[in-house]
Amino acid sequence: MRKMATEELAVLKPQVRCLREEEQKVCVNNAFSCGSDARERKLVCVTSGNSNLGSHIVKALLARGYLVRVTIQNQVDYEDMKKLMRDEEINQLEGVVVAKMGSLDSLCEAFRGCHAIFHTSSFIDPHGISGYSEQMAFLEAEAARNVIEACGRAAYAKRCIFTSSLLAAIWTGDNENKIIDEFSWTNEEFCRENKLWLALGKTTAEMTSWRKSKEMKVNLVTVCPGLLMDTSFPNAHNSVMLEHGHLAVEDAKKAAEAHVYVYEAMDYGASGRYLCYGKVVRKMSEAIELENGLKIHGLLSGGRHEALDEEIHSMLSNAKLVRLIRGSQKLSCK
């Protein structure tokens, strides 16, 4: 197989081929043709399909009959993706494209003709973002900028469902007892002072995506999940989050379904940010129980065992997403 300078490869189930030279000529004057199949069957693209959340979003979309294209950043990621999905699910995919987050051209090629882009992650760390650094926070924002620009240039419908994080809302930098909801933003300077690099990365990436979406006229919504229970927990000052009532968790499958609910509700005016979590950990005993179940001893409680049954006050609110999902479920039952 010939090696291409841009390392743009398409993985076609189950084979791998290089993109033809003419297929590399993308992002020029918005000159993309969109086939009727993409319009009628709603071709959508999910980035980082080899991530836990990304694979669940793919499964949720396939279950609803969407035509799904997936991007991965490296050819070897295809093997990881196959471990997260059944063979029949892999075979239902429209295709899998290797597209570097730093390559605008390859993202444009991947997004060409898509009705919507689900951008789930720029970095995947099986050890729980163990090495997330200030530099990675910068790169995360750059990747977000590329994703939104490619969506604006190449997608048939300029829609993006962007996975942010609850971390982009909770570190406001003040001690006031305020409700944390979709209007709350993490303070970037507070993150730098306290070396909260993961929170900084998620915050700057989401802010960048909002700014770029206005420039590119992309219809953007963001979903901000809490810590996903069936994936590796990042070491993101979880014990401090617990003390402040900000430690919220969610099942990855349910978070994925929330992404699809939000996307489908965009036809009815869904917009802005949506905080996504299923449970707020309100007691030290609950945190320890979670640690034991997930075999992450001390990562949530900080190894403390005092005041096990004392309830922690929380000001988190996911009411906006709850209303949307309930409304969507009522519509689907009619």
Side-chain angles (χ1 to χ4, degrees), residues 81-131:
M81 193 179 77
K82 290 195 293 185
K83 295 175 184 177
L84 295 170
M85 301 175 65
R86 301 192 306 270
D87 288 344
E88 53 266 36
E89 292 168 334
I90 294 286
N91 290 332
Q92 288 180 55
L93 296 176
E94 184 268 351
V96 181
V97 178
V98 175
K100 299 285 189 182
M101 290 295 162
S103 171
L104 181 59
D105 283 357
S106 63
L107 288 172
C108 284
E109 175 61 29
F111 297 168
R112 182 171 58 185
C114 291
H115 188 267
I117 310 303
F118 289 79
H119 178 52
T120 62
S121 178
S122 298
F123 296 105
I124 300 171
D125 183 349
H127 303 295
I129 321 293
S130 56

Side-chain angles (χ1 to χ4, degrees), residues 28-80:
V28 180
N29 298 325
N30 288 337
F32 293 106
S33 61
C34 304
S36 61
D37 60 334
R39 297 181 183 185
E40 294 168 5
R41 296 181 62 191
K42 289 194 175 180
L43 172 64
V44 298
C45 184
V46 180
T47 66
S48 299
N50 57 312
S51 69
N52 191 37
L53 177 60
S55 66
H56 278 294
I57 291 176
V58 170
K59 293 174 186 179
L61 289 165
L62 290 174
R64 286 166 169 79
Y66 289 96
L67 190 62
V68 183
R69 181 181 298 162
V70 173
T71 75
I72 52 180
Q73 294 211 58
N74 301 285
Q75 197 169 344
V76 294
D77 295 337
Y78 187 52
E79 297 304 315
D80 294 332

Side-chain angles (χ1 to χ4, degrees), residues 48 51-57 120-121 123-126 128-129 163-167 198 202 223-236 238 241 246-259 275-279 281 290 294 296 299-300 321:
S48 299
S51 69
N52 191 37
L53 177 60
S55 66
H56 278 294
I57 291 176
T120 62
S121 178
F123 296 105
I124 300 171
D125 183 349
I129 321 293
T163 307
S164 181
S165 171
L166 191 60
L167 295 173
L198 180 56
K202 295 301 180 182
V223 180
C224 304
L227 298 176
L228 299 180
M229 291 180 61
D230 44 357
T231 189
S232 297
F233 272 36
N235 185 5
N238 300 320
M241 291 163 59
H246 295 160
L247 184 60
V249 295
E250 181 59 291
D251 175 80
K253 182 178 179 181
K254 291 181 179 179
E257 290 171 349
H259 281 69
L275 270 56
C276 174
Y277 57 87
K279 175 183 175 62
V281 180
L290 263 177
L294 298 169
I296 53 170
L299 193 54
L300 303 180
L321 180 62

Side-chain angles (χ1 to χ4, degrees), residues 127-138:
H127 303 295
I129 321 293
S130 56
Y132 202 98
S133 64
E134 185 176 10
Q135 175 64 14
M136 291 176 73
F138 170 78

